[in-house]
Amino acid sequence: MILVIDTSGPVCAAGIYDAGSNALIASISEALGKGHAERLIPMIDEVLTQAGMTLQQMTRIAVTVGPGSFTGIRVGVAAARGFALSLGIPAVGVTTLEVVAEQVLEIGPPMPVVAAIDARRDEIFAQVFAPDGEALTEPEAYAYEDVRAIVSRFDGILAGSGAAALDGVAHDVDVYPLDRIGRIGARLPDDTKASPVYIRGAGAKPQTGFAIKHL
């Protein structure tokens, strides 16, 4: 049983994922914008009650670690680490780009997937994944033209809100399904750190070019 937490964006969400049956058995999700710190712990209590379970029955915690909202990520990671420490179980970090890629990877694409999240400020958070899920690049903030170059270089499938941003199309805020977070978290090694992924800070400039881990 995996406690799943997502506070990486305007949505605050928690759920219980059963890795044995590959199913989300309880969940709560609210579009808060702000106030994740005040709402998350009561939400976890509510989702445990909904599932008829206790924290002591959890064997792992999976939490989104970004890229995303700086404040929201800190809230989720702090909670996950605190629960993991008190329960003596692993807390693993799942990036939001992994979640975006998962929706395509789960159908077995014949080519790489370029996960892309609209980062605003004329930037896109992006990362390339091989058809087997292996990360081929690191998460980075790119200018629009560089994302187009990445898609062309890898002959990849573009997924996520970044695709709409490149086309100049209005889109909803990114939502990261708890079942996909749980599925990814279930297969990650126990020592996968639940550490925030902060790609840019104050004054940071868009990444130019891209670093390729594997050709």
Side-chain angles (χ1 to χ4, degrees):
M1 292 297 173
I2 301 175
L3 173 63
V4 183
I5 297 171
D6 175 36
T7 56
S8 60
V11 173
C12 184
I16 308 296
Y17 180 79
D18 183 348
S21 62
N22 190 30
L24 191 68
I25 61 174
S27 66
I28 299 175
S29 179
E30 297 177 5
L32 298 180
K34 297 180 179 180
H36 293 68
E38 294 77 18
R39 185 70 184 101
L40 180 59
I41 302 305
M43 183 177 286
I44 290 172
D45 286 338
E46 291 166 22
V47 83
L48 287 167
T49 298
Q50 185 183 122
M53 305 185 76
T54 67
L55 270 176
Q56 287 67 31
Q57 291 174 275
M58 300 298 104
T59 57
R60 172 176 289 215
I61 300 172
V63 58
T64 48
V65 293
S69 162
F70 179 84
T71 301
I73 292 167
R74 286 193 303 171
V75 169
V77 168
R81 286 177 173 176
F83 284 131
L85 182 62
S86 65
L87 296 169
I89 60 176
V92 297
V94 177
T95 73
T96 50
L97 290 164
E98 287 177 298
V99 181
V100 169
E102 181 76 5
Q103 63 184 333
V104 179
L105 292 171
E106 64 190 10
I107 63 176
M111 57 191 69
V113 175
V114 182
I117 297 172
D118 185 3
R120 313 299 177 183
R121 308 181 198 172
D122 296 321
E123 292 180 341
I124 291 175
F125 297 134
Q127 186 175 17
V128 184
F129 296 85
D132 64 359
E134 179 187 9
L136 300 181
T137 66
E138 298 294 336
E140 293 285 358
Y142 295 99
Y144 284 14
E145 60 269 23
D146 289 316
V147 176
R148 293 188 179 97
I150 292 171
V151 175
S152 176
R153 168 65 180 82
F154 285 93
D155 189 23
I157 301 171
L158 189 61
S161 62
L166 283 178
D167 291 336
V169 176
H171 57 84
D172 295 330
V173 297
D174 291 282
V175 176
Y176 307 107
L178 293 175
D179 57 342
R180 290 198 178 105
I181 299 169
R183 187 181 310 136
I184 296 169
R187 64 178 183 244
L188 290 174
D190 287 353
D191 59 356
T192 303
K193 294 182 179 180
S195 299
V197 175
Y198 298 138
I199 291 179
R200 66 186 182 192
K205 297 180 179 179
Q207 174 77 11
T208 56
F210 46 91
I212 302 174
K213 292 173 63 179
H214 303 284
L215 296 178

